PDB file of all heavy atoms in Angstrom:
ATOM      1  N   SER A 252      26.858   3.998  32.527  1.00 91.00           N
ATOM      2  CA  SER A 252      25.411   3.867  32.699  1.00 91.00           C
ATOM      3  C   SER A 252      24.806   3.283  31.428  1.00 91.00           C
ATOM      4  O   SER A 252      25.157   3.678  30.323  1.00 91.00           O
ATOM      5  CB  SER A 252      24.792   5.232  32.990  1.00 91.00           C
ATOM      6  OG  SER A 252      23.383   5.171  32.860  1.00 91.00           O
ATOM      7  N   PHE A 253      23.861   2.366  31.612  1.00 94.00           N
ATOM      8  CA  PHE A 253      23.211   1.778  30.436  1.00 94.00           C
ATOM      9  C   PHE A 253      22.168   2.709  29.825  1.00 94.00           C
ATOM     10  O   PHE A 253      21.702   2.483  28.712  1.00 94.00           O
ATOM     11  CB  PHE A 253      22.549   0.445  30.799  1.00 94.00           C
ATOM     12  CG  PHE A 253      21.406   0.543  31.779  1.00 94.00           C
ATOM     13  CD1 PHE A 253      20.170   1.053  31.410  1.00 94.00           C
ATOM     14  CD2 PHE A 253      21.557   0.085  33.078  1.00 94.00           C
ATOM     15  CE1 PHE A 253      19.120   1.129  32.316  1.00 94.00           C
ATOM     16  CE2 PHE A 253      20.511   0.155  33.982  1.00 94.00           C
ATOM     17  CZ  PHE A 253      19.292   0.678  33.596  1.00 94.00           C
ATOM     18  N   VAL A 254      21.804   3.772  30.522  1.00 92.00           N
ATOM     19  CA  VAL A 254      20.679   4.606  30.100  1.00 92.00           C
ATOM     20  C   VAL A 254      20.891   5.214  28.720  1.00 92.00           C
ATOM     21  O   VAL A 254      20.025   5.143  27.847  1.00 92.00           O
ATOM     22  CB  VAL A 254      20.419   5.715  31.143  1.00 92.00           C
ATOM     23  CG1 VAL A 254      19.327   6.664  30.647  1.00 92.00           C
ATOM     24  CG2 VAL A 254      20.024   5.111  32.482  1.00 92.00           C
ATOM     25  N   GLY A 255      22.045   5.825  28.514  1.00 95.00           N
ATOM     26  CA  GLY A 255      22.312   6.449  27.219  1.00 95.00           C
ATOM     27  C   GLY A 255      22.312   5.435  26.089  1.00 95.00           C
ATOM     28  O   GLY A 255      21.791   5.697  24.997  1.00 95.00           O
ATOM     29  N   HIS A 256      22.908   4.266  26.345  1.00 96.00           N
ATOM     30  CA  HIS A 256      22.981   3.228  25.307  1.00 96.00           C
ATOM     31  C   HIS A 256      21.588   2.692  24.972  1.00 96.00           C
ATOM     32  O   HIS A 256      21.271   2.440  23.806  1.00 96.00           O
ATOM     33  CB  HIS A 256      23.897   2.103  25.768  1.00 96.00           C
ATOM     34  CG  HIS A 256      25.304   2.545  26.029  1.00 96.00           C
ATOM     35  ND1 HIS A 256      26.224   2.716  25.019  1.00 96.00           N
ATOM     36  CD2 HIS A 256      25.937   2.867  27.186  1.00 96.00           C
ATOM     37  CE1 HIS A 256      27.385   3.117  25.549  1.00 96.00           C
ATOM     38  NE2 HIS A 256      27.230   3.216  26.854  1.00 96.00           N
ATOM     39  N   TYR A 257      20.765   2.488  26.006  1.00 96.00           N
ATOM     40  CA  TYR A 257      19.403   2.009  25.761  1.00 96.00           C
ATOM     41  C   TYR A 257      18.633   3.024  24.911  1.00 96.00           C
ATOM     42  O   TYR A 257      17.968   2.670  23.922  1.00 96.00           O
ATOM     43  CB  TYR A 257      18.677   1.785  27.091  1.00 96.00           C
ATOM     44  CG  TYR A 257      17.221   1.414  26.917  1.00 96.00           C
ATOM     45  CD1 TYR A 257      16.844   0.076  26.818  1.00 96.00           C
ATOM     46  CD2 TYR A 257      16.232   2.395  26.819  1.00 96.00           C
ATOM     47  CE1 TYR A 257      15.504  -0.266  26.642  1.00 96.00           C
ATOM     48  CE2 TYR A 257      14.904   2.060  26.629  1.00 96.00           C
ATOM     49  CZ  TYR A 257      14.544   0.727  26.549  1.00 96.00           C
ATOM     50  OH  TYR A 257      13.227   0.387  26.354  1.00 96.00           O
ATOM     51  N   ASN A 258      18.718   4.311  25.288  1.00 96.00           N
ATOM     52  CA  ASN A 258      17.997   5.330  24.527  1.00 96.00           C
ATOM     53  C   ASN A 258      18.545   5.487  23.113  1.00 96.00           C
ATOM     54  O   ASN A 258      17.794   5.773  22.169  1.00 96.00           O
ATOM     55  CB  ASN A 258      18.054   6.663  25.278  1.00 96.00           C
ATOM     56  CG  ASN A 258      17.164   6.678  26.508  1.00 96.00           C
ATOM     57  OD1 ASN A 258      16.099   6.080  26.503  1.00 96.00           O
ATOM     58  ND2 ASN A 258      17.607   7.346  27.553  1.00 96.00           N
ATOM     59  N   LEU A 259      19.848   5.299  22.982  1.00 97.00           N
ATOM     60  CA  LEU A 259      20.431   5.349  21.639  1.00 97.00           C
ATOM     61  C   LEU A 259      19.887   4.209  20.783  1.00 97.00           C
ATOM     62  O   LEU A 259      19.592   4.396  19.590  1.00 97.00           O
ATOM     63  CB  LEU A 259      21.963   5.256  21.738  1.00 97.00           C
ATOM     64  CG  LEU A 259      22.725   5.291  20.412  1.00 97.00           C
ATOM     65  CD1 LEU A 259      22.458   6.600  19.664  1.00 97.00           C
ATOM     66  CD2 LEU A 259      24.223   5.103  20.658  1.00 97.00           C
ATOM     67  N   ALA A 260      19.730   3.023  21.384  1.00 98.00           N
ATOM     68  CA  ALA A 260      19.135   1.898  20.652  1.00 98.00           C
ATOM     69  C   ALA A 260      17.725   2.238  20.189  1.00 98.00           C
ATOM     70  O   ALA A 260      17.330   1.917  19.057  1.00 98.00           O
ATOM     71  CB  ALA A 260      19.117   0.654  21.536  1.00 98.00           C
ATOM     72  N   ALA A 261      16.956   2.909  21.054  1.00 97.00           N
ATOM     73  CA  ALA A 261      15.596   3.307  20.676  1.00 97.00           C
ATOM     74  C   ALA A 261      15.611   4.310  19.522  1.00 97.00           C
ATOM     75  O   ALA A 261      14.796   4.222  18.590  1.00 97.00           O
ATOM     76  CB  ALA A 261      14.882   3.899  21.890  1.00 97.00           C
ATOM     77  N   ALA A 262      16.558   5.259  19.565  1.00 97.00           N
ATOM     78  CA  ALA A 262      16.651   6.257  18.489  1.00 97.00           C
ATOM     79  C   ALA A 262      17.006   5.586  17.162  1.00 97.00           C
ATOM     80  O   ALA A 262      16.433   5.916  16.109  1.00 97.00           O
ATOM     81  CB  ALA A 262      17.688   7.313  18.848  1.00 97.00           C
ATOM     82  N   HIS A 263      17.942   4.636  17.189  1.00 98.00           N
ATOM     83  CA  HIS A 263      18.284   3.908  15.953  1.00 98.00           C
ATOM     84  C   HIS A 263      17.105   3.071  15.471  1.00 98.00           C
ATOM     85  O   HIS A 263      16.827   2.997  14.263  1.00 98.00           O
ATOM     86  CB  HIS A 263      19.484   2.990  16.206  1.00 98.00           C
ATOM     87  CG  HIS A 263      20.793   3.712  16.227  1.00 98.00           C
ATOM     88  ND1 HIS A 263      21.226   4.508  15.183  1.00 98.00           N
ATOM     89  CD2 HIS A 263      21.801   3.738  17.163  1.00 98.00           C
ATOM     90  CE1 HIS A 263      22.429   5.003  15.465  1.00 98.00           C
ATOM     91  NE2 HIS A 263      22.789   4.556  16.663  1.00 98.00           N
TER      92      HIS A 263
END
Side-chain angles (χ1 to χ4, degrees):
S252 167
F253 65 73
V254 175
H256 299 279
Y257 175 91
N258 287 325
L259 180 61
H263 282 305

